[in-house]
Amino acid sequence: MPPVPISPIKVGHIDDVQELRKTKPRTIPQRFVRDLTERPTLTTPLPPPHSDMPVIDFSKLSKGNKEEVLTELFNLATACEEWGFFQVINHEIDLNLLESIENLSREFFMLPLEEKQKYPMAPGTVQGYGQAFVFSEDQKLDWCNMFALGIEPQYVRNPNLWPKKPEKFSETVEEYSGEIRKLCYNLLTYIALGLGLKGDEFEEMFGVSVQAVRMNYYPPCSRPDLVLGLSPHSDGSALTVLQQAKGGPVGLQILKDNTWVPIQPIPNALVINIGDTIEVLTNGKYRSVEHRAVAHEEKARLSIVTFFAPSYEVELGPMPEFVDENHPCKYKIYNHGEYSKHYVTNKLQGKKTLEFAKIQTKNTN
């Protein structure tokens, strides 16, 4: 989350969706009502064939015998290439810690509005409480409240936005983020090996990796067919780690073969997705995938998302291993800090942000 110099941005009135739900449970303000083409289809008669997201058993990678490691590396490489998403089981993070961060996140969102507003997300920024990626007074809004914090390196933190309540919130975020950071470095090692690279290739390239966490709370919505919990987008990170709170409805959908596929979370698993950074580095061999969140008529949903990316100082571009006559270079070399600034100062709109990095082909018209 780069410190972005922002000119004053007029975002208009933004309703807090939890307050809306409390005071006007049947009302959907016009700014939340999506255009017909954007509205979600909430009834899928049958899931498309092969719509089960791949599952990776982390313990086979970390502790398995040679055959198990090779098999799971192959499964991981296939998941990255064909899906861009996978669920990780046996990830070796204490389940009590997952439960703690989930409970404390929920407690934070249940605080009175005036308490949460002590940590405001200023327009054009992505830390604090509110709605991110809003840049105009007429932009459609997501049916979601967010609370986001920069974690690493230390200079991305804004200490004024770390809440005093609930008790132990900040120290639990610290512990949780440390464990997720270890998992990300390990996954990047296995992803590198699956690509035929040195295991420490990405870790060495990334420098002091940037890490941020965001809690998303999606209250019930009387007309979930009219709104989106989170607009379609790909992530600007290298890896994103999603923890879906227990007991919530299915809300995550990913765009697979031009169809929005709902993802059923496995209990205690973490959902991982490839971000734009890995797409660029692999010259499109592994692609970041559009995803979105939908609301539910009766149930609230909570998710905790970690974004893991290279240092802002790093210059990125396709690695030579993935460029040849049959695979021409698709992306330019760019500074990751510049890309991050570009990402957080534009609204979420599919994979449009990645245009920043693409080599533009000459128009023959």
Side-chain angles (χ1 to χ4, degrees):
M1 292 186 174
V4 182
I6 296 291
S7 57
I9 294 170
K10 292 182 179 177
V11 297
H13 176 71
I14 298 178
D15 284 295
D16 183 286
V17 285
Q18 284 174 262
E19 297 304 305
L20 256 183
R21 178 70 186 177
K22 280 184 209 166
T23 57
K24 301 176 183 174
R26 312 301 300 175
T27 301
I28 313 293
Q30 199 57 37
R31 280 194 79 180
F32 292 92
V33 177
R34 294 285 170 156
D35 297 336
L36 283 168
T37 54
E38 293 183 313
R39 292 178 191 176
T41 306
L42 299 175
T43 50
T44 310
L46 282 171
H50 314 298
S51 67
D52 288 336
M53 182 186 286
V55 177
I56 301 301
D57 186 339
F58 183 82
S59 66
K60 288 183 179 176
L61 292 167
S62 64
K63 298 174 182 167
N65 59 40
K66 188 176 180 182
E67 187 179 337
E68 286 176 323
V69 171
L70 289 173
T71 300
E72 212 61 11
L73 280 176
F74 175 79
N75 293 339
L76 176 60
T78 304
C80 290
E81 188 159 4
E82 295 183 0
W83 280 79
F85 266 84
F86 51 92
Q87 299 200 55
V88 172
I89 59 172
N90 301 322
H91 43 66
E92 300 175 4
I93 298 176
D94 188 339
L95 298 183
N96 291 325
L97 182 57
L98 298 191
E99 189 176 347
S100 293
I101 194 76
E102 186 180 306
N103 290 339
L104 287 165
S105 299
R106 189 177 282 107
E107 282 180 45
F108 175 82
F109 284 111
M110 293 304 114
L111 291 170
L113 180 61
E114 56 269 23
E115 182 67 30
K116 293 182 283 189
Q117 286 180 333
K118 291 177 182 176
Y119 314 102
M121 186 182 289
T125 68
V126 286
Q127 293 196 55
Y129 175 77
Q131 281 225 14
F133 306 106
V134 181
F135 296 99
S136 70
E137 297 181 83
D138 56 0
Q139 183 180 326
K140 293 296 182 184
L141 300 174
D142 292 330
W143 192 264
C144 176
N145 283 338
M146 299 175 174
F147 181 64
L149 294 169
I151 304 291
E152 295 289 350
Q154 289 287 318
Y155 74 82
V156 304
R157 296 187 179 208
N158 182 340
N160 296 328
L161 296 177
W162 286 66
K164 309 286 187 291
K165 297 177 184 176
E167 195 180 338
K168 294 192 176 176
F169 181 92
S170 294
E171 61 196 75
T172 305
V173 167
E174 292 273 20
E175 185 183 357
Y176 176 80
S177 297
E179 291 299 310
I180 296 288
R181 193 172 184 84
K182 281 190 263 183
L183 177 66
C184 287
Y185 276 126
N186 284 325
L187 286 173
L188 283 171
T189 295
Y190 298 127
I191 288 170
L193 292 171
L195 286 163
L197 304 169
K198 291 185 306 174
D200 61 1
E201 190 90 35
F202 293 128
E203 184 172 352
E204 288 192 358
M205 181 192 304
F206 283 11
V208 181
S209 295
V210 174
Q211 185 175 339
V213 66
R214 189 178 76 217
M215 293 90 173
N216 302 315
Y217 186 83
Y218 307 92
C221 178
S222 61
R223 290 295 305 273
D225 56 313
L226 298 181
V227 306
L228 283 173
L230 194 58
S231 302
H233 64 286
S234 64
D235 293 336
S237 56
L239 292 179
T240 300
V241 181
L242 169 73
Q243 177 183 338
Q244 305 202 63
K246 291 190 179 78
V250 173
L252 173 65
Q253 298 184 343
I254 73 171
L255 191 61
K256 172 81 171 144
D257 303 324
N258 292 315
T259 302
W260 287 106
V261 178
I263 300 303
Q264 181 70 52
I266 298 170
N268 300 320
L270 295 168
V271 177
I272 314 292
N273 63 280
I274 297 293
D276 294 346
T277 296
I278 296 293
E279 175 167 338
V280 169
L281 291 172
T282 63
N283 199 34
K285 179 179 176 67
Y286 292 174
R287 299 185 71 241
S288 60
V289 172
E290 273 188 66
H291 49 287
R292 68 183 186 183
V294 296
H296 191 274
E297 190 169 2
E298 296 166 359
K299 291 182 179 178
R301 176 172 171 260
L302 170 70
S303 65
I304 298 127
V305 189
T306 298
F307 304 97
F308 187 86
S311 160
Y312 293 136
E313 281 76 49
V314 172
E315 301 288 312
L316 294 175
M319 298 169 71
E321 291 89 342
F322 304 105
V323 179
D324 58 32
E325 284 183 16
N326 297 321
H327 304 90
C329 190
K330 296 178 183 175
Y331 307 95
K332 64 185 180 184
I333 295 172
Y334 60 89
N335 171 266
H336 182 62
E338 285 297 309
Y339 179 69
S340 297
K341 179 179 171 181
H342 176 71
Y343 189 94
V344 303
T345 53
N346 282 276
K347 68 178 185 177
L348 298 179
Q349 198 172 1
K351 291 189 68 167
K352 191 172 181 185
T353 316
L354 194 55
E355 298 295 322
F356 171 92
K358 285 188 176 171
I359 292 173
Q360 303 302 322
T361 53
K362 287 181 181 173
N363 193 334
T364 53
N365 290 339

